């Protein structure tokens, strides 16, 4: 057996070193580490640029609904288009099997136009993404080289600076950044939305997305369970300057619906089918898209692990929490180049709108006798009021204090009152009364503390209002 | 004999759907398709229009729009969370067309 494997390895090492060269883009080899390693056992050379047919679909504020197709091979098309060399350019790239004309890419552009004026270029490489995975994982190198070529033309023709380029890649698309970043130093920012795991996790930095690829690299991990056996498609390892793990990064809320409910989606059968196949994996770009409109709704709390985040790592440090998604680069200046990886945790909603605001509640109960039941708390403030959040279930003992975190669906702002409610769903002939003596609310964003006191007790299913004290 | 098997299977499914935290017929999470509010964990089976499909949804919080609880079991506006009352007038037409909407209010506040 050993002889067989050594022979096989020998054959692989003899066969390696194949290379293809394409004009404009240069040569691509399937040498180690591109193939023949344990992470990348099957060697494939990338297809030709003509076959992959990378297309650049430009959306701007002037044409938010219909794209203009531009190409660097014929730079005149850029001149004729609405491309504005004075503005930031954001590239958005899809992943495996997906296409650049898919709605989520242009929707993301339109959301950007609501808050800023940018050149939004959706990159379509569907001809190269709809093939066996091993092939697509290599085709992405050509896509990265095409983007680099495009930027080089912008630099040459318009004096455009790479420091105005932001590259957003989903799944396999995120790894196109590796090729691009190596060809063009000084790219302003790369956002990896759940970078693909198979063929990239554990590989050297020239193959995969890495923090050396741009001045600032932020990554959102939403499907980081191992591919075998959990079918997680996204990378687990932290690879950027900031790595966000919403909901722990493995299982997203709203992705465990039964098959029928998942496929028959509010956004249509097509969106539902996509989610049925890869719900966790596709959540990343939905979070990013929401983050454009809710800048403070996706605060990432620095923490060592998700289970610690659930019990501590609160509130944000004095210099603030980095924002997951579109505004992650606001935190850029606070990252020292020598430091390691920063892991950030947060919770999101289970359906759009995904934004959430985290609060810490500390409730001290009062009453005459203990009862079994649960406790709900709702916060009222300048931004409106939340729904009731169940904060505790079990034995309600007067004098005991329960401390929990809630992720509110609205930003409460300055908290003015708090309402307390308890219930046990069991008919109790003695009509016991419970109340909250003291409730402390801490805002996660700025660490503000609010204290509320209550003097009375209430019967079950009756709201008790607590006022500041 | 066959009937017995079917009955047993049905009982198993029913027991399973009640017992497991996440069910197929009962104990449905928000966003799952429903036909009756009893199926939903949240207690509200909500649809946006007469033609759209109904899905489990959160009950209405204070100051949000609501319907009063009724026997249809499908709501255009969810009923209020516990402790709140839906401040809606009752009209005959609204009662039939399921469109007596109000705002959730805290009964203690009105005093």
């Amino acid at each position: 057996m050993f002889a067989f494997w050594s022979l096989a390895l020998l054959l692989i090492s003899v066969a390696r070193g194949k290379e293809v060269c394409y004009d404009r883009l240069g040569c691509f080899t399937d040498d180690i580490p591109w193939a023949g390693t344990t992470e990348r056992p099957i060697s494939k050379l990338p297809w030709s640029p003509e076959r992959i047919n990378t297309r650049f679909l430009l959306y701007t504020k002037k044409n938010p609904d219909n794209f203009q197709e531009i190409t660097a091979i014929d730079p005149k098309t850029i001149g004729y288009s609405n491309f504005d060399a004075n503005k930031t350019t954001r590239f958005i790239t899809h992943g495996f099997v997906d296409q650049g004309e898919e709605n989520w890419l242009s929707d993301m552009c339109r959301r950007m136009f609501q808050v800023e004026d940018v050149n939004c270029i959706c990159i379509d490489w569907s001809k190269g993404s709809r093939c066996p995975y091993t092939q697509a994982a290599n085709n992405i190198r050509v896509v990265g080289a095409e983007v680099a070529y495009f930027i080089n033309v912008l630099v040459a023709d318009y004096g455009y600076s790479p420091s105005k380029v932001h590259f957003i890649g989903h799944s396999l698309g995120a790894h196109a950044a590796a090729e691009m970043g190596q060809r063009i130093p000084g790219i302003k920012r790369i956002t990896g939305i759940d970078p693909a795991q198979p063929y990239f996790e554990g590989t050297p930095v020239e193959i995969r997305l890495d923090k050396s690829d741009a001045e600032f690299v932020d990554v959102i991990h939403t499907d980081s369970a191992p591919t075998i056996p959990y079918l997680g498609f996204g990378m687990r390892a932290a690879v950027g300057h900031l790595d966000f793990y919403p909901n722990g990064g493995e299982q997203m809320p709203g992705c465990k619906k039964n098959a029928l409910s998942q496929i028959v989606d509010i956004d249509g059968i097509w969106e539902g089918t996509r989610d049925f196949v890869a719900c966790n994996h596709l959540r990343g770009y939905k979070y990013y898209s929401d983050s454009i409109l809710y800048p403070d709704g996706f605060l990432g709390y620095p923490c060592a692990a998700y289970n610690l985040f659930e019990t501590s790592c609160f509130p944000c440090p004095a210099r603030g929490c980095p924002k997951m998604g579109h505004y992650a680069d606001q935190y850029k200046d606070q990252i020292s180049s020598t430091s390691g990886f920063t892991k950030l945790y947060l919770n999101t909603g289970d359906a759009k709108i995904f934004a959430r605001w985290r609060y810490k509640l500390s409730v001290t109960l009062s009453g005459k006798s203990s009862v079994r039941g649960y406790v709900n708390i709702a916060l009222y403030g300048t931004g409106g009021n939340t729904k009731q959040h169940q904060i505790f279930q079990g034995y309600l003992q007067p004098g005991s204090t329960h401390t929990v975190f809630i992720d509110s669906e609205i930003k409460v702002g300055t908290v003015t009152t708090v309402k307390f409610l308890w219930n046990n769903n069991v008919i109790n002939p003695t009509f016991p009364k419970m109340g909250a003596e003291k409730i402390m609310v801490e805002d996660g964003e700025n660490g503000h503390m609010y204290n509320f006191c209550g003097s009375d007790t209430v019967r079950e299913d009756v709201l008790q209002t607590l006022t500041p004290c | 004999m066959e009937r017995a098997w079917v009955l047993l299977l049905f009982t198993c499914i029913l027991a399973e759907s009640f017992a497991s935290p996440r069910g197929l017929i009962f104990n449905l999470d928000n966003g799952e398709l429903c036909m009756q509010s009893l199926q939903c964990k949240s207690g509200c089976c909500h649809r946006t229009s007469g033609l759209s499909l109904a899905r489990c949804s959160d009950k209405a919080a204070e100051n949000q729009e609501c319907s009063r609880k009724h026997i249809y079991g499908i709501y255009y506006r969810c009923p209020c969370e516990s402790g709140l009352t839906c401040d809606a007038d009752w009209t005959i037409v609204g009662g039939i067309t399921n469109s007596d909407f109000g705002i959730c209010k805290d009964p203690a506040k009105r005093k």
Side-chain angles (χ1 to χ4, degrees), chain A residues 99-271:
Chain A
Q99 59 165 341
E101 290 182 52
E102 193 59 56
N103 287 333
W104 70 265
L105 298 108
S106 53
D107 284 346
M108 201 183 272
C109 288
R110 281 189 284 275
R111 290 229 169 152
M112 286 172 189
F113 300 147
Q114 288 185 36
V115 297
E116 61 192 6
D117 195 359
V118 291
N119 305 304
C120 189
I121 301 178
C122 302
I123 300 170
D124 175 69
W125 56 284
S126 51
K127 291 245 172 77
S129 77
R130 294 177 172 176
C131 57
Y133 182 79
T134 48
Q135 183 64 56
N138 280 294
N139 288 347
I140 198 67
R141 298 161 68 184
V142 167
V143 177
E146 287 271 24
V147 180
Y149 182 78
F150 189 92
I151 296 168
N152 276 331
V153 168
L154 292 183
V155 172
D157 288 9
Y158 294 90
Y160 202 77
S161 163
S163 67
K164 286 201 273 192
V165 172
H166 177 199
F167 182 90
I168 302 167
H170 174 243
S171 186
L172 267 184
H175 295 297
E179 189 72 35
M180 179 194 69
Q182 277 155 50
R183 287 172 185 239
I184 300 177
I187 299 270
K188 183 191 179 193
R189 180 179 171 198
I190 293 169
T191 301
I193 298 176
D194 212 29
Q197 181 185 127
Y199 271 55
F200 295 96
E201 179 102 57
T203 58
V205 292
E206 66 250 48
I207 294 175
R208 59 170 170 85
L209 174 67
D210 172 66
K211 62 162 111 174
S212 64
D213 293 326
E215 302 285 301
F216 178 72
V217 178
D218 58 308
V219 187
I220 301 172
H221 300 264
T222 58
D223 196 15
S224 61
T227 311
I228 302 164
Y230 301 109
L231 268 182
F233 298 132
M235 279 181 93
R236 184 183 205 79
V239 291
H241 295 100
L242 295 180
D243 283 80
F244 296 88
Y245 294 84
N247 311 301
E250 289 189 6
Q251 181 60 50
M252 299 299 117
C255 283
K256 272 204 162 160
K257 292 202 277 266
N258 58 51
L260 183 69
S261 299
Q262 190 77 268
I263 291 171
V264 185
D265 190 77
I266 303 171
D267 295 325
I269 301 281
W270 174 235
E271 274 306 312

Side-chain angles (χ1 to χ4, degrees), chain B residues 1 9 14 17-18 68 80 94 105 110:
Chain B
M1 189 62 197
L9 194 74
L14 211 66
S17 56
F18 271 114
R68 287 187 305 182
C80 299
K105 293 264 164 69
R110 248 186 273 164

